[in-house]
Amino acid sequence: MTATKPEPPKPLPSTHLLGTGTPMCAGCGGLEVLHEVYDLLGVKTVFVNAAGCLTLLAVYPFTPFRGSWLYTAMASAPAGAQGVRDALDLLLAKGRMGPEEDLEVVVLTGDGTAYGMGLSATSSAIERGLNFLYICYDNEGFGNTGQQFSEATPHAARTATSLGGFSGYKKDLFAIWTAHRPVYAATAVGAEPLDLARKVEKVKSLKGPRLLLTLAPCPPGWDFDPKEAVEIGKLAVKTGIWPLKEYVDGKVAHTKIPHPRLPVEEYLKKQGRFAHLFHPEPNEALLKEIQHRVDAYWDGVS
Ligand SMILES: Cc1ncc(C[n+]2csc(CCOP(=O)(O)OP(=O)(O)O)c2C)c(N)n1
Ligand code: SF4
Ligand SMILES: [Mg+2]
């Protein structure tokens, strides 16, 4: 019997730097962000990716990345980025590579890494002034391993490990980063592409530790129809639960202030992970508490 020769992989569409033939879920907010960011950053990049959903994008020979990519363990992406940056700097210093060949070192992680397991390595890298861009796609849970809660999971959300609703509270990663006084930090969401694009242009012009913390609506994890993904991303901004802001020169400025601000219920009721707040009857106390926390945030914004 003769073995059948495998078909060569089909060429990827060239309309985007990041191709479309990916193994991700429809409506993935993390992929949406990555598409938008990659179109602006381009191929002169090394993506240092900690284990998570977007790691599936690297499956050879179908990877949609046109530039370089490196896999690391969850806790180690900033350490991997340090190694890559050092290697590039050595090649530049020895004249074995011209400045035009230099690459932007980009860490790409989910929230499980960014808010938890990788925080110590990130803190040290910012402290050392590592020249890197850190992109977190925050789907508010451990998506790749079956939607367990993470330190980014919002209060009351149902996950595989908080079936009655998460009793903890989402950590403020933006505040943790800005406490380190990085060169730049911003929040964003793929559903607001102009705001995101402006922030990507800004990070491109800067050197040093920079954060893009992006909300990533996740249809299977948050339990909604993929066609609602953009609407849910927009509602996160319009209800004020995901403030769009940036930190430059020691100051935080909001880049989009929702006015009028919609009730947070508009965002929550679209997602099955919060269904127990509305059925069999509304949990008024919990809904009020969530709204109060959002109001308190915006009351503190001058
Ligand atoms: C140290 C370690 N613990 C557990 C895992 C298993 N693991 C792989 S991906 C993942 C989830 C990561 O969550 P997150 O960073 O939020 O990314 P997402 O899966 O949501 O994209 C886990 C727990 C691992 N790879 N390494
Ligand atoms: S589980 Fe969520 S984050 Fe992971 S690929 Fe699917 S939509 Fe994206
Ligand atoms: Mg996650």
Side-chain angles (χ1 to χ4, degrees), residues 23-32 52-54 56 111 137-147 216-222 224:
M24 317 299 292
C25 310
C28 173
L31 191 56
E32 184 188 23
C53 283
L54 296 194
L56 297 174
D111 49 288
Y137 61 98
D138 180 359
N139 64 355
E140 304 189 319
F142 284 11
N144 188 243
T145 43
Q147 315 294 349
C218 168
W222 299 9
F224 64 82

Side-chain angles (χ1 to χ4, degrees), residues 24 28 30 49-55 71-75 108-117 136-152 218:
M24 317 299 292
C28 173
N49 178 219
C53 283
L54 296 194
T55 305
Y71 172 79
T72 68
M74 283 182 77
L108 175 68
T109 77
D111 49 288
T113 285
Y115 287 71
M117 268 186 250
C136 169
Y137 61 98
D138 180 359
N139 64 355
E140 304 189 319
F142 284 11
N144 188 243
T145 43
Q147 315 294 349
Q148 298 84 5
F149 68 73
S150 75
E151 290 162 66
C218 168

Side-chain angles (χ1 to χ4, degrees), residues 37-214:
V37 171
Y38 205 70
D39 281 352
L40 292 170
L41 284 185
V43 294
K44 289 177 76 177
T45 43
V46 185
F47 274 76
V48 182
N49 178 219
C53 283
L54 296 194
T55 305
L56 297 174
L57 293 175
V59 182
Y60 184 80
F62 300 104
T63 178
F65 282 103
R66 305 294 204 270
S68 300
W69 181 92
L70 173 77
Y71 172 79
T72 68
M74 283 182 77
S76 318
Q82 179 80 56
V84 173
R85 186 64 262 160
D86 288 352
L88 289 166
D89 288 343
L90 273 172
L91 291 171
L92 286 166
K94 289 184 172 180
R96 288 172 58 190
M97 193 178 99
E100 71 289 349
E101 292 176 282
D102 196 11
L103 303 173
E104 176 82 82
V105 180
V106 185
V107 163
L108 175 68
T109 77
D111 49 288
T113 285
Y115 287 71
M117 268 186 250
L119 202 44
S120 166
T122 307
S123 174
S124 311
I126 307 170
E127 197 59 35
R128 291 192 302 273
L130 176 63
N131 180 18
F132 75 138
L133 168 61
Y134 192 115
I135 301 174
C136 169
Y137 61 98
D138 180 359
N139 64 355
E140 304 189 319
F142 284 11
N144 188 243
T145 43
Q147 315 294 349
Q148 298 84 5
F149 68 73
S150 75
E151 290 162 66
T153 299
H155 186 57
R158 175 174 46 78
T159 71
T161 42
S162 60
L163 293 173
F166 184 51
S167 58
Y169 291 86
K170 189 178 178 78
K171 227 184 224 179
D172 188 348
L173 187 64
F174 182 82
I176 292 170
W177 259 78
T178 56
H180 288 74
R181 297 179 295 281
V183 168
Y184 183 79
T187 60
V189 60
E192 293 289 348
L194 288 182
D195 180 78
L196 174 61
R198 209 180 52 73
K199 288 166 178 169
V200 175
E201 289 300 342
K202 199 168 276 182
V203 292
K204 274 172 74 174
S205 69
L206 297 167
K207 289 200 182 314
R210 290 151 287 157
L211 170 72
L212 270 183
L213 175 57
T214 64

